[in-house]
Amino acid sequence: MGDLMVGEVSCLAERANVYGAIATDFSVWDVCMLYWARWSVGCTFTSLKVGGFDLERTVITQPDRLERLFGLVILAWVSCLRVGVWRQAERPITVKTHGRTAMSLVRYGAEQLCHALCWERPE
């Protein structure tokens, strides 16, 4: 384990302790797939909350109204994502020097929808 370089992976045949913590007994592929799924869920919740939709700021507490609000916000989020994917195919989002895109596909779609509707995006 100690001879791995940064960015390299190794598959262990049995459970191992890495710096005192159990790493995993899944295959490298399974770990990557689980992390990818977890990452995309985390990004989705971030964009629904602090990333633009401000869902956590609602004062609604009635379950039926919350359910309707969540449904509407999810529809808006999916619409922004689909427009962002469409727009990305036509004009890709710029990639910054650190290798990540300047904005998410959801944000890209939201900006395109706001522009199409002639709304000014709040700063």
Side-chain angles (χ1 to χ4, degrees):
M1 273 289 280
D3 59 344
L4 289 178
M5 300 300 291
V6 174
E8 292 182 333
V9 295
S10 175
C11 185
L12 303 174
E14 69 274 342
R15 184 173 289 183
N17 285 331
V18 180
Y19 298 110
I22 295 175
T24 183
D25 56 352
F26 291 115
S27 72
V28 172
W29 178 256
D30 290 339
V31 170
C32 289
M33 291 291 97
L34 289 169
Y35 186 77
W36 180 83
R38 183 222 161 270
W39 181 261
S40 56
V41 168
C43 289
T44 301
F45 280 122
T46 298
S47 67
L48 289 173
K49 293 170 33 178
V50 296
F53 287 91
D54 287 335
L55 191 56
E56 79 278 7
R57 296 184 75 189
T58 184
V59 294
I60 298 173
T61 57
Q62 296 175 348
D64 60 329
R65 290 185 178 185
L66 271 175
E67 186 176 343
R68 273 184 264 149
L69 175 64
F70 286 172
L72 289 172
V73 169
I74 292 297
L75 285 173
W77 185 88
V78 168
S79 298
C80 290
L81 177 62
R82 289 189 53 106
V83 170
V85 168
W86 166 77
R87 188 71 177 138
Q88 170 78 358
E90 300 220 346
R91 181 183 289 168
I93 301 170
T94 57
V95 177
K96 293 190 171 189
T97 56
H98 51 62
R100 293 188 300 258
T101 56
M103 67 181 74
S104 70
L105 289 171
V106 176
R107 169 68 65 190
Y108 200 36
E111 287 188 358
Q112 181 67 27
L113 286 172
C114 286
H115 179 70
L117 297 171
C118 298
W119 292 345
E120 300 239 315
R121 192 177 121 236
E123 294 299 322

